[in-house]
Amino acid sequence: LAAALAALLPAARARRSQDLHCGACRALVDELEWEIAQVDPRKTIQMGSFRINPDGSQSVVEVPYARSEAHLTELLERVCEKMKEYGEKVDPSTHRKSYVRVISHDGTKMDLSGVKIDGDVASSLKFACESIAEEYEDELIEFLSHEADNVKDRLCSKRTDLCDHALHIPHDEL
C-alpha cells in the first residue's frame, strides 16, 4: 500500500502544479484583458523613429495606447500583484483546482462558496503568474497587441501547453 501511495504522489503533485500554472495563466490573461479594456480608446502613443529624415519629416505614427508594447510591458510588470484577489476552488468530481476572483473589479458581491482564500494560495498563484509572465512575455505581447478571440485558450493551451485540460474548464467572465 505504501509503495502504491508513493507512486501516486508525484502524479498528484504534477497535476496540482499543472492546475496552478494553468489557473495562473488564465487569471493573468483575464487581468491583462481587463486592464486593457480600462484604457480610454482615444488615448494614443507615438511609435517609430524620432530621427529626422533627409526630407525633414519624421517616421512617427500614433497607435492606440491600450494595446501598445509600452503599455503591455508596463502591465506585465505589475499584473501579478492582482493574484492576491484570487482564491482556489476545487471541482468536487474531478478534484481539479481552478482559481477565481474573490474581489470583483466593480465591487459587486461574489459567490465565494467552496472557495479557499488564504495567503499560501495567493503567493503560489502570484509566483506562478510571475514565472509565466517572464517566460512567455513575447507571446503575451504578441497575442494582446491585437484584439483576438479566445486568448486564454490560444495562449494557455495551444501555445504553451500550460492547460492540457482547458477544454473542460468553464469560461469565466470578469
Side-chain angles (χ1 to χ4, degrees), residues 20-36 72-84 86 99-101 105 125-141 144 151-153 155-156 160 162-163 172 174:
L20 175 67
H21 283 85
C22 176
C25 183
R26 296 177 71 79
L28 171 63
V29 172
D30 279 342
E31 291 301 324
L32 289 168
E33 288 181 327
W34 188 85
E35 290 282 348
I36 289 166
L72 294 174
T73 301
E74 176 191 316
L75 289 178
L76 283 170
E77 290 175 8
R78 61 181 169 85
V79 72
C80 293
E81 292 297 322
K82 300 277 187 189
M83 297 302 118
K84 67 182 176 217
Y86 280 75
Y99 298 87
V100 296
R101 262 191 159 277
H105 287 293
L125 198 59
K126 181 178 181 266
F127 182 76
C129 175
E130 289 168 344
S131 299
I132 292 164
E134 185 176 327
E135 186 173 348
Y136 297 107
E137 180 178 2
D138 294 340
E139 288 86 346
L140 283 159
I141 290 172
L144 293 167
V151 173
K152 271 191 286 195
D153 288 338
L155 182 76
C156 300
T160 64
L162 290 167
C163 300
D172 48 277
L174 290 177

Tab-separated table of all heavy atoms in Angstrom, residues 20-36 72-84 86 99-101 105 125-141 144 151-153 155-156 160 162-163 172 174:
chain	number	residue	atom	x	y	z
A	20	LEU	N	-2.229	24.762	-11.005
A	20	LEU	CA	-1.768	26.069	-10.566
A	20	LEU	C	-1.284	26.910	-11.750
A	20	LEU	O	-1.677	28.062	-11.910
A	20	LEU	CB	-0.644	25.916	-9.532
A	20	LEU	CG	0.007	27.223	-9.070
A	20	LEU	CD1	-0.994	28.057	-8.288
A	20	LEU	CD2	1.236	26.930	-8.242
A	21	HIS	N	-0.433	26.339	-12.590
A	21	HIS	CA	0.107	27.089	-13.726
A	21	HIS	C	-0.972	27.415	-14.767
A	21	HIS	O	-0.975	28.500	-15.351
A	21	HIS	CB	1.291	26.343	-14.348
A	21	HIS	CG	2.522	26.490	-13.528
A	21	HIS	ND1	2.798	25.669	-12.469
A	21	HIS	CD2	3.526	27.394	-13.575
A	21	HIS	CE1	3.924	26.049	-11.906
A	21	HIS	NE2	4.387	27.097	-12.557
A	22	CYS	N	-1.871	26.496	-14.989
A	22	CYS	CA	-2.983	26.755	-15.904
A	22	CYS	C	-3.853	27.878	-15.336
A	22	CYS	O	-4.191	28.827	-16.040
A	22	CYS	CB	-3.805	25.488	-16.107
A	22	CYS	SG	-5.271	25.749	-17.139
A	23	GLY	N	-4.188	27.775	-14.060
A	23	GLY	CA	-5.018	28.801	-13.416
A	23	GLY	C	-4.335	30.157	-13.419
A	23	GLY	O	-4.982	31.188	-13.651
A	24	ALA	N	-3.032	30.162	-13.182
A	24	ALA	CA	-2.282	31.424	-13.184
A	24	ALA	C	-2.272	32.031	-14.583
A	24	ALA	O	-2.437	33.242	-14.743
A	24	ALA	CB	-0.854	31.191	-12.688
A	25	CYS	N	-2.103	31.209	-15.601
A	25	CYS	CA	-2.098	31.700	-16.979
A	25	CYS	C	-3.451	32.307	-17.332
A	25	CYS	O	-3.530	33.416	-17.870
A	25	CYS	CB	-1.740	30.571	-17.949
A	25	CYS	SG	-1.620	31.101	-19.681
A	26	ARG	N	-4.504	31.607	-17.005
A	26	ARG	CA	-5.848	32.084	-17.331
A	26	ARG	C	-6.179	33.366	-16.553
A	26	ARG	O	-6.753	34.303	-17.105
A	26	ARG	CB	-6.873	30.991	-17.067
A	26	ARG	CG	-6.652	29.774	-17.985
A	26	ARG	CD	-7.613	28.630	-17.692
A	26	ARG	NE	-8.965	28.951	-18.103
A	26	ARG	CZ	-9.399	28.898	-19.360
A	26	ARG	NH1	-8.600	28.525	-20.329
A	26	ARG	NH2	-10.647	29.201	-19.650
A	27	ALA	N	-5.791	33.421	-15.288
A	27	ALA	CA	-6.031	34.620	-14.478
A	27	ALA	C	-5.200	35.790	-15.007
A	27	ALA	O	-5.684	36.927	-15.076
A	27	ALA	CB	-5.696	34.342	-13.009
A	28	LEU	N	-3.966	35.512	-15.403
A	28	LEU	CA	-3.087	36.538	-15.962
A	28	LEU	C	-3.716	37.154	-17.213
A	28	LEU	O	-3.793	38.383	-17.349
A	28	LEU	CB	-1.726	35.919	-16.285
A	28	LEU	CG	-0.717	36.758	-17.066
A	28	LEU	CD1	-0.320	37.993	-16.292
A	28	LEU	CD2	0.516	35.922	-17.378
A	29	VAL	N	-4.197	36.325	-18.111
A	29	VAL	CA	-4.825	36.822	-19.341
A	29	VAL	C	-6.098	37.606	-19.006
A	29	VAL	O	-6.329	38.689	-19.560
A	29	VAL	CB	-5.111	35.674	-20.339
A	29	VAL	CG1	-5.943	36.171	-21.524
A	29	VAL	CG2	-3.812	35.054	-20.829
A	30	ASP	N	-6.907	37.094	-18.078
A	30	ASP	CA	-8.123	37.816	-17.669
A	30	ASP	C	-7.772	39.217	-17.164
A	30	ASP	O	-8.405	40.200	-17.537
A	30	ASP	CB	-8.854	37.075	-16.541
A	30	ASP	CG	-9.717	35.942	-17.033
A	30	ASP	OD1	-10.037	35.895	-18.237
A	30	ASP	OD2	-10.083	35.087	-16.194
A	31	GLU	N	-6.771	39.288	-16.292
A	31	GLU	CA	-6.387	40.565	-15.702
A	31	GLU	C	-5.832	41.523	-16.757
A	31	GLU	O	-6.141	42.710	-16.752
A	31	GLU	CB	-5.363	40.367	-14.579
A	31	GLU	CG	-5.929	39.694	-13.354
A	31	GLU	CD	-7.092	40.437	-12.713
A	31	GLU	OE1	-7.105	41.688	-12.694
A	31	GLU	OE2	-8.018	39.762	-12.224
A	32	LEU	N	-5.006	41.011	-17.649
A	32	LEU	CA	-4.456	41.852	-18.711
A	32	LEU	C	-5.570	42.384	-19.611
A	32	LEU	O	-5.597	43.574	-19.947
A	32	LEU	CB	-3.418	41.088	-19.529
A	32	LEU	CG	-2.102	40.808	-18.816
A	32	LEU	CD1	-1.267	39.809	-19.609
A	32	LEU	CD2	-1.314	42.080	-18.568
A	33	GLU	N	-6.506	41.520	-19.994
A	33	GLU	CA	-7.609	41.956	-20.856
A	33	GLU	C	-8.484	42.993	-20.147
A	33	GLU	O	-8.945	43.945	-20.753
A	33	GLU	CB	-8.434	40.760	-21.315
A	33	GLU	CG	-7.703	39.917	-22.344
A	33	GLU	CD	-8.498	38.727	-22.854
A	33	GLU	OE1	-9.292	38.141	-22.082
A	33	GLU	OE2	-8.327	38.378	-24.031
A	34	TRP	N	-8.689	42.813	-18.837
A	34	TRP	CA	-9.489	43.773	-18.076
A	34	TRP	C	-8.771	45.120	-18.039
A	34	TRP	O	-9.383	46.166	-18.257
A	34	TRP	CB	-9.760	43.256	-16.662
A	34	TRP	CG	-10.744	44.136	-15.946
A	34	TRP	CD1	-12.107	44.065	-16.018
A	34	TRP	CD2	-10.449	45.243	-15.098
A	34	TRP	NE1	-12.664	45.060	-15.255
A	34	TRP	CE2	-11.672	45.796	-14.671
A	34	TRP	CE3	-9.267	45.809	-14.640
A	34	TRP	CZ2	-11.747	46.881	-13.820
A	34	TRP	CZ3	-9.341	46.899	-13.793
A	34	TRP	CH2	-10.570	47.425	-13.393
A	35	GLU	N	-7.471	45.104	-17.752
A	35	GLU	CA	-6.681	46.343	-17.698
A	35	GLU	C	-6.693	47.062	-19.048
A	35	GLU	O	-6.816	48.288	-19.103
A	35	GLU	CB	-5.234	46.048	-17.287
A	35	GLU	CG	-5.080	45.615	-15.847
A	35	GLU	CD	-5.135	46.759	-14.846
A	35	GLU	OE1	-5.064	47.939	-15.249
A	35	GLU	OE2	-5.259	46.477	-13.646
A	36	ILE	N	-6.551	46.316	-20.128
A	36	ILE	CA	-6.567	46.901	-21.472
A	36	ILE	C	-7.913	47.583	-21.725
A	36	ILE	O	-7.976	48.692	-22.261
A	36	ILE	CB	-6.287	45.830	-22.546
A	36	ILE	CG1	-4.815	45.393	-22.479
A	36	ILE	CG2	-6.648	46.321	-23.944
A	36	ILE	CD1	-4.505	44.121	-23.243
A	72	LEU	N	1.606	47.260	-22.575
A	72	LEU	CA	1.566	45.845	-22.206
A	72	LEU	C	2.768	45.472	-21.345
A	72	LEU	O	2.634	44.710	-20.378
A	72	LEU	CB	1.498	44.973	-23.457
A	72	LEU	CG	0.209	45.122	-24.279
A	72	LEU	CD1	0.306	44.340	-25.575
A	72	LEU	CD2	-1.013	44.699	-23.482
A	73	THR	N	3.934	46.006	-21.657
A	73	THR	CA	5.128	45.727	-20.856
A	73	THR	C	4.946	46.273	-19.442
A	73	THR	O	5.273	45.605	-18.461
A	73	THR	CB	6.379	46.344	-21.525
A	73	THR	OG1	6.510	45.782	-22.833
A	73	THR	CG2	7.632	46.058	-20.722
A	74	GLU	N	4.399	47.463	-19.339
A	74	GLU	CA	4.130	48.068	-18.031
A	74	GLU	C	3.148	47.207	-17.236
A	74	GLU	O	3.342	46.952	-16.048
A	74	GLU	CB	3.559	49.471	-18.241
A	74	GLU	CG	3.145	50.179	-16.973
A	74	GLU	CD	2.351	51.450	-17.257
A	74	GLU	OE1	2.763	52.215	-18.156
A	74	GLU	OE2	1.325	51.657	-16.583
A	75	LEU	N	2.090	46.737	-17.903
A	75	LEU	CA	1.104	45.879	-17.237
A	75	LEU	C	1.737	44.586	-16.743
A	75	LEU	O	1.455	44.132	-15.627
A	75	LEU	CB	-0.056	45.549	-18.178
A	75	LEU	CG	-1.029	46.663	-18.513
A	75	LEU	CD1	-2.076	46.154	-19.492
A	75	LEU	CD2	-1.681	47.203	-17.259
A	76	LEU	N	2.576	43.969	-17.574
A	76	LEU	CA	3.201	42.694	-17.200
A	76	LEU	C	4.079	42.834	-15.959
A	76	LEU	O	4.242	41.880	-15.209
A	76	LEU	CB	4.018	42.130	-18.360
A	76	LEU	CG	3.198	41.476	-19.461
A	76	LEU	CD1	4.071	41.161	-20.667
A	76	LEU	CD2	2.512	40.214	-18.948
A	77	GLU	N	4.611	44.018	-15.736
A	77	GLU	CA	5.466	44.235	-14.562
A	77	GLU	C	4.675	44.249	-13.264
A	77	GLU	O	5.215	43.954	-12.209
A	77	GLU	CB	6.246	45.544	-14.707
A	77	GLU	CG	7.307	45.482	-15.780
A	77	GLU	CD	7.996	46.815	-16.007
A	77	GLU	OE1	7.762	47.774	-15.225
A	77	GLU	OE2	8.764	46.909	-16.969
A	78	ARG	N	3.378	44.576	-13.337
A	78	ARG	CA	2.619	44.724	-12.088
A	78	ARG	C	1.362	43.865	-11.974
A	78	ARG	O	0.749	43.797	-10.919
A	78	ARG	CB	2.267	46.190	-11.866
A	78	ARG	CG	1.405	46.801	-12.927
A	78	ARG	CD	1.122	48.277	-12.631
A	78	ARG	NE	0.519	48.934	-13.768
A	78	ARG	CZ	-0.779	48.929	-14.035
A	78	ARG	NH1	-1.620	48.300	-13.245
A	78	ARG	NH2	-1.243	49.566	-15.099
A	79	VAL	N	0.986	43.184	-13.050
A	79	VAL	CA	-0.309	42.498	-13.059
A	79	VAL	C	-0.371	41.324	-12.073
A	79	VAL	O	-1.435	41.023	-11.540
A	79	VAL	CB	-0.690	42.051	-14.487
A	79	VAL	CG1	0.162	40.885	-14.947
A	79	VAL	CG2	-2.169	41.708	-14.573
A	80	CYS	N	0.736	40.688	-11.803
A	80	CYS	CA	0.702	39.513	-10.921
A	80	CYS	C	0.367	39.872	-9.474
A	80	CYS	O	0.003	38.992	-8.687
A	80	CYS	CB	2.007	38.733	-11.022
A	80	CYS	SG	2.195	37.972	-12.660
A	81	GLU	N	0.454	41.153	-9.123
A	81	GLU	CA	0.009	41.599	-7.791
A	81	GLU	C	-1.479	41.315	-7.602
A	81	GLU	O	-1.945	41.149	-6.486
A	81	GLU	CB	0.276	43.099	-7.599
A	81	GLU	CG	1.743	43.457	-7.516
A	81	GLU	CD	2.444	42.842	-6.316
A	81	GLU	OE1	1.845	42.753	-5.221
A	81	GLU	OE2	3.601	42.415	-6.483
A	82	LYS	N	-2.227	41.276	-8.709
A	82	LYS	CA	-3.678	41.038	-8.651
A	82	LYS	C	-4.020	39.621	-8.190
A	82	LYS	O	-5.160	39.336	-7.866
A	82	LYS	CB	-4.313	41.280	-10.023
A	82	LYS	CG	-4.124	42.673	-10.549
A	82	LYS	CD	-5.141	43.587	-9.988
A	82	LYS	CE	-5.049	44.943	-10.651
A	82	LYS	NZ	-5.870	45.915	-10.007
A	83	MET	N	-3.024	38.725	-8.181
A	83	MET	CA	-3.305	37.336	-7.811
A	83	MET	C	-3.732	37.210	-6.351
A	83	MET	O	-4.341	36.225	-5.960
A	83	MET	CB	-2.091	36.438	-8.085
A	83	MET	CG	-1.707	36.348	-9.560
A	83	MET	SD	-3.017	35.746	-10.646
A	83	MET	CE	-3.245	37.151	-11.727
A	84	LYS	N	-3.453	38.244	-5.537
A	84	LYS	CA	-3.912	38.208	-4.142
A	84	LYS	C	-5.426	38.375	-4.056
A	84	LYS	O	-6.017	38.171	-3.006
A	84	LYS	CB	-3.181	39.256	-3.314
A	84	LYS	CG	-3.495	40.674	-3.683
A	84	LYS	CD	-2.689	41.655	-2.853
A	84	LYS	CE	-2.983	43.059	-3.339
A	84	LYS	NZ	-1.840	43.900	-3.325
A	86	TYR	N	-7.453	36.484	-5.728
A	86	TYR	CA	-7.970	35.207	-6.217
A	86	TYR	C	-7.995	34.173	-5.101
A	86	TYR	O	-7.201	34.226	-4.168
A	86	TYR	CB	-7.094	34.675	-7.370
A	86	TYR	CG	-7.400	35.329	-8.699
A	86	TYR	CD1	-6.985	36.620	-8.972
A	86	TYR	CD2	-8.138	34.656	-9.671
A	86	TYR	CE1	-7.270	37.230	-10.184
A	86	TYR	CE2	-8.432	35.260	-10.884
A	86	TYR	CZ	-7.999	36.541	-11.129
A	86	TYR	OH	-8.296	37.142	-12.327
A	99	TYR	N	-8.889	28.753	-10.250
A	99	TYR	CA	-8.672	29.962	-9.463
A	99	TYR	C	-9.655	31.022	-9.917
A	99	TYR	O	-9.823	31.259	-11.111
A	99	TYR	CB	-7.212	30.413	-9.608
A	99	TYR	CG	-6.307	29.336	-9.052
A	99	TYR	CD1	-5.881	28.276	-9.849
A	99	TYR	CD2	-5.986	29.315	-7.714
A	99	TYR	CE1	-5.128	27.246	-9.325
A	99	TYR	CE2	-5.230	28.287	-7.176
A	99	TYR	CZ	-4.808	27.257	-7.986
A	99	TYR	OH	-4.079	26.227	-7.454
A	100	VAL	N	-10.339	31.621	-8.937
A	100	VAL	CA	-11.398	32.584	-9.221
A	100	VAL	C	-11.160	33.859	-8.428
A	100	VAL	O	-10.580	33.829	-7.341
A	100	VAL	CB	-12.795	32.012	-8.881
A	100	VAL	CG1	-13.146	30.821	-9.760
A	100	VAL	CG2	-12.878	31.609	-7.415
A	101	ARG	N	-11.621	34.949	-8.993
A	101	ARG	CA	-11.532	36.229	-8.286
A	101	ARG	C	-12.395	36.169	-7.031
A	101	ARG	O	-13.504	35.668	-7.071
A	101	ARG	CB	-12.053	37.353	-9.190
A	101	ARG	CG	-10.966	38.072	-9.881
A	101	ARG	CD	-11.488	39.341	-10.560
A	101	ARG	NE	-10.347	40.188	-10.744
A	101	ARG	CZ	-9.843	40.981	-9.808
A	101	ARG	NH1	-10.420	41.082	-8.652
A	101	ARG	NH2	-8.755	41.684	-10.042
A	105	HIS	N	-14.008	43.450	-9.708
A	105	HIS	CA	-13.463	44.718	-10.177
A	105	HIS	C	-14.407	45.882	-9.880
A	105	HIS	O	-13.962	46.994	-9.633
A	105	HIS	CB	-13.214	44.669	-11.692
A	105	HIS	CG	-12.048	43.830	-12.077
A	105	HIS	ND1	-10.746	44.156	-11.760
A	105	HIS	CD2	-11.959	42.674	-12.759
A	105	HIS	CE1	-9.922	43.251	-12.232
A	105	HIS	NE2	-10.642	42.320	-12.836
A	125	LEU	N	0.005	31.378	-6.468
A	125	LEU	CA	-0.553	31.868	-7.724
A	125	LEU	C	0.273	33.043	-8.252
A	125	LEU	O	0.569	33.119	-9.444
A	125	LEU	CB	-2.008	32.280	-7.504
A	125	LEU	CG	-2.879	32.423	-8.739
A	125	LEU	CD1	-2.937	31.118	-9.527
A	125	LEU	CD2	-4.283	32.855	-8.348
A	126	LYS	N	0.687	33.937	-7.364
A	126	LYS	CA	1.494	35.094	-7.764
A	126	LYS	C	2.846	34.629	-8.326
A	126	LYS	O	3.305	35.127	-9.359
A	126	LYS	CB	1.709	36.028	-6.578
A	126	LYS	CG	2.507	37.270	-6.913
A	126	LYS	CD	2.622	38.176	-5.683
A	126	LYS	CE	3.386	39.428	-5.994
A	126	LYS	NZ	4.797	39.348	-5.702
A	127	PHE	N	3.463	33.664	-7.668
A	127	PHE	CA	4.754	33.152	-8.136
A	127	PHE	C	4.604	32.497	-9.511
A	127	PHE	O	5.409	32.734	-10.413
A	127	PHE	CB	5.333	32.154	-7.120
A	127	PHE	CG	6.676	31.621	-7.520
A	127	PHE	CD1	7.817	32.402	-7.386
A	127	PHE	CD2	6.802	30.349	-8.040
A	127	PHE	CE1	9.062	31.926	-7.765
A	127	PHE	CE2	8.041	29.853	-8.431
A	127	PHE	CZ	9.178	30.647	-8.291
A	128	ALA	N	3.561	31.691	-9.674
A	128	ALA	CA	3.312	31.041	-10.975
A	128	ALA	C	3.034	32.100	-12.046
A	128	ALA	O	3.532	32.002	-13.175
A	128	ALA	CB	2.146	30.060	-10.866
A	129	CYS	N	2.264	33.120	-11.696
A	129	CYS	CA	1.956	34.206	-12.628
A	129	CYS	C	3.239	34.909	-13.072
A	129	CYS	O	3.444	35.155	-14.263
A	129	CYS	CB	1.012	35.203	-11.948
A	129	CYS	SG	0.649	36.682	-12.926
A	130	GLU	N	4.107	35.230	-12.117
A	130	GLU	CA	5.361	35.915	-12.452
A	130	GLU	C	6.238	35.057	-13.359
A	130	GLU	O	6.857	35.568	-14.294
A	130	GLU	CB	6.108	36.288	-11.177
A	130	GLU	CG	5.435	37.415	-10.414
A	130	GLU	CD	5.974	37.626	-9.013
A	130	GLU	OE1	6.676	36.720	-8.483
A	130	GLU	OE2	5.687	38.695	-8.435
A	131	SER	N	6.274	33.753	-13.098
A	131	SER	CA	7.063	32.846	-13.942
A	131	SER	C	6.531	32.831	-15.364
A	131	SER	O	7.289	32.886	-16.330
A	131	SER	CB	7.017	31.419	-13.390
A	131	SER	OG	7.551	31.372	-12.092
A	132	ILE	N	5.205	32.759	-15.499
A	132	ILE	CA	4.570	32.729	-16.822
A	132	ILE	C	4.774	34.060	-17.536
A	132	ILE	O	5.113	34.091	-18.723
A	132	ILE	CB	3.070	32.384	-16.685
A	132	ILE	CG1	2.910	30.944	-16.203
A	132	ILE	CG2	2.338	32.599	-18.011
A	132	ILE	CD1	1.532	30.627	-15.669
A	133	ALA	N	4.580	35.170	-16.816
A	133	ALA	CA	4.741	36.494	-17.426
A	133	ALA	C	6.163	36.680	-17.940
A	133	ALA	O	6.368	37.251	-19.009
A	133	ALA	CB	4.387	37.587	-16.420
A	134	GLU	N	7.134	36.168	-17.191
A	134	GLU	CA	8.528	36.303	-17.617
A	134	GLU	C	8.850	35.370	-18.784
A	134	GLU	O	9.420	35.783	-19.784
A	134	GLU	CB	9.456	35.986	-16.441
A	134	GLU	CG	10.914	36.215	-16.743
A	134	GLU	CD	11.802	35.981	-15.530
A	134	GLU	OE1	11.362	36.247	-14.393
A	134	GLU	OE2	12.931	35.518	-15.736
A	135	GLU	N	8.456	34.109	-18.652
A	135	GLU	CA	8.788	33.123	-19.674
A	135	GLU	C	8.064	33.368	-21.001
A	135	GLU	O	8.611	33.144	-22.079
A	135	GLU	CB	8.469	31.713	-19.174
A	135	GLU	CG	8.913	30.636	-20.128
A	135	GLU	CD	8.756	29.228	-19.554
A	135	GLU	OE1	8.521	29.084	-18.338
A	135	GLU	OE2	8.871	28.284	-20.345
A	136	TYR	N	6.818	33.835	-20.926
A	136	TYR	CA	6.010	33.989	-22.128
A	136	TYR	C	5.695	35.462	-22.436
A	136	TYR	O	4.697	35.756	-23.079
A	136	TYR	CB	4.715	33.180	-21.994
A	136	TYR	CG	4.967	31.707	-21.862
A	136	TYR	CD1	4.802	31.054	-20.646
A	136	TYR	CD2	5.393	30.961	-22.959
A	136	TYR	CE1	5.055	29.694	-20.525
A	136	TYR	CE2	5.642	29.605	-22.847
A	136	TYR	CZ	5.471	28.979	-21.625
A	136	TYR	OH	5.721	27.640	-21.504
A	137	GLU	N	6.558	36.357	-22.028
A	137	GLU	CA	6.329	37.788	-22.244
A	137	GLU	C	6.100	38.113	-23.725
A	137	GLU	O	5.160	38.824	-24.083
A	137	GLU	CB	7.509	38.604	-21.717
A	137	GLU	CG	7.337	40.096	-21.917
A	137	GLU	CD	8.485	40.910	-21.344
A	137	GLU	OE1	9.452	40.341	-20.815
A	137	GLU	OE2	8.397	42.153	-21.439
A	138	ASP	N	6.942	37.588	-24.586
A	138	ASP	CA	6.804	37.874	-26.022
A	138	ASP	C	5.470	37.380	-26.573
A	138	ASP	O	4.812	38.080	-27.345
A	138	ASP	CB	7.954	37.248	-26.823
A	138	ASP	CG	9.297	37.890	-26.499
A	138	ASP	OD1	9.316	39.023	-25.968
A	138	ASP	OD2	10.331	37.250	-26.770
A	139	GLU	N	5.074	36.169	-26.167
A	139	GLU	CA	3.810	35.616	-26.636
A	139	GLU	C	2.619	36.430	-26.119
A	139	GLU	O	1.667	36.695	-26.856
A	139	GLU	CB	3.658	34.151	-26.211
A	139	GLU	CG	4.551	33.192	-26.951
A	139	GLU	CD	5.948	33.039	-26.338
A	139	GLU	OE1	6.338	33.863	-25.473
A	139	GLU	OE2	6.658	32.107	-26.738
A	140	LEU	N	2.685	36.826	-24.841
A	140	LEU	CA	1.604	37.626	-24.272
A	140	LEU	C	1.459	38.943	-25.028
A	140	LEU	O	0.353	39.342	-25.397
A	140	LEU	CB	1.867	37.893	-22.785
A	140	LEU	CG	1.591	36.724	-21.854
A	140	LEU	CD1	2.330	36.877	-20.542
A	140	LEU	CD2	0.096	36.584	-21.608
A	141	ILE	N	2.577	39.607	-25.284
A	141	ILE	CA	2.530	40.874	-26.010
A	141	ILE	C	2.024	40.656	-27.428
A	141	ILE	O	1.194	41.417	-27.932
A	141	ILE	CB	3.908	41.574	-25.977
A	141	ILE	CG1	4.185	42.068	-24.553
A	141	ILE	CG2	3.963	42.721	-26.984
A	141	ILE	CD1	5.569	42.606	-24.320
A	144	LEU	N	-1.812	39.966	-27.186
A	144	LEU	CA	-2.625	41.051	-26.660
A	144	LEU	C	-2.461	42.361	-27.430
A	144	LEU	O	-3.273	43.267	-27.265
A	144	LEU	CB	-2.308	41.263	-25.181
A	144	LEU	CG	-2.732	40.088	-24.298
A	144	LEU	CD1	-2.109	40.200	-22.922
A	144	LEU	CD2	-4.244	39.993	-24.202
A	151	VAL	N	-8.074	34.378	-26.300
A	151	VAL	CA	-6.649	34.488	-25.983
A	151	VAL	C	-6.268	33.484	-24.906
A	151	VAL	O	-5.214	32.857	-24.985
A	151	VAL	CB	-6.281	35.931	-25.553
A	151	VAL	CG1	-4.848	36.004	-25.055
A	151	VAL	CG2	-6.478	36.880	-26.714
A	152	LYS	N	-7.151	33.306	-23.915
A	152	LYS	CA	-6.845	32.354	-22.837
A	152	LYS	C	-6.568	30.963	-23.390
A	152	LYS	O	-5.574	30.342	-23.053
A	152	LYS	CB	-7.996	32.265	-21.828
A	152	LYS	CG	-7.894	33.254	-20.720
A	152	LYS	CD	-8.881	32.959	-19.631
A	152	LYS	CE	-10.268	33.319	-20.056
A	152	LYS	NZ	-11.213	33.382	-18.955
A	153	ASP	N	-7.476	30.461	-24.226
A	153	ASP	CA	-7.297	29.112	-24.775
A	153	ASP	C	-6.119	29.061	-25.735
A	153	ASP	O	-5.324	28.127	-25.700
A	153	ASP	CB	-8.567	28.641	-25.486
A	153	ASP	CG	-9.685	28.327	-24.509
A	153	ASP	OD1	-9.385	28.059	-23.327
A	153	ASP	OD2	-10.850	28.354	-24.924
A	155	LEU	N	-3.440	30.966	-25.867
A	155	LEU	CA	-2.143	31.121	-25.210
A	155	LEU	C	-1.885	30.023	-24.183
A	155	LEU	O	-0.836	29.388	-24.203
A	155	LEU	CB	-2.055	32.487	-24.527
A	155	LEU	CG	-0.709	32.734	-23.855
A	155	LEU	CD1	0.341	33.057	-24.900
A	155	LEU	CD2	-0.806	33.844	-22.843
A	156	CYS	N	-2.844	29.800	-23.302
A	156	CYS	CA	-2.625	28.881	-22.177
A	156	CYS	C	-2.691	27.413	-22.577
A	156	CYS	O	-2.119	26.568	-21.897
A	156	CYS	CB	-3.626	29.164	-21.065
A	156	CYS	SG	-3.503	30.850	-20.411
A	160	THR	N	1.301	27.308	-25.152
A	160	THR	CA	2.199	26.989	-24.031
A	160	THR	C	1.999	25.605	-23.428
A	160	THR	O	2.831	25.167	-22.658
A	160	THR	CB	2.013	28.010	-22.903
A	160	THR	OG1	0.668	27.888	-22.394
A	160	THR	CG2	2.263	29.426	-23.377
A	162	LEU	N	0.214	24.909	-21.011
A	162	LEU	CA	0.034	25.022	-19.566
A	162	LEU	C	-1.303	24.424	-19.138
A	162	LEU	O	-1.457	23.997	-18.007
A	162	LEU	CB	0.117	26.482	-19.126
A	162	LEU	CG	1.509	27.111	-19.215
A	162	LEU	CD1	1.421	28.622	-19.060
A	162	LEU	CD2	2.443	26.508	-18.186
A	163	CYS	N	-2.250	24.385	-20.064
A	163	CYS	CA	-3.588	23.870	-19.763
A	163	CYS	C	-3.952	22.765	-20.748
A	163	CYS	O	-4.677	23.006	-21.709
A	163	CYS	CB	-4.630	24.981	-19.868
A	163	CYS	SG	-4.404	26.365	-18.766
A	172	ASP	N	-14.826	31.726	-17.562
A	172	ASP	CA	-15.324	32.636	-16.565
A	172	ASP	C	-15.267	34.062	-17.106
A	172	ASP	O	-14.434	34.395	-17.901
A	172	ASP	CB	-14.517	32.534	-15.271
A	172	ASP	CG	-13.024	32.582	-15.540
A	172	ASP	OD1	-12.469	31.520	-15.864
A	172	ASP	OD2	-12.441	33.675	-15.450
A	174	LEU	N	-15.225	38.183	-16.128
A	174	LEU	CA	-14.840	39.076	-15.030
A	174	LEU	C	-15.982	39.970	-14.652
A	174	LEU	O	-16.733	40.436	-15.394
A	174	LEU	CB	-13.625	39.922	-15.418
A	174	LEU	CG	-12.341	39.134	-15.534
A	174	LEU	CD1	-11.225	40.067	-16.002
A	174	LEU	CD2	-11.975	38.527	-14.214
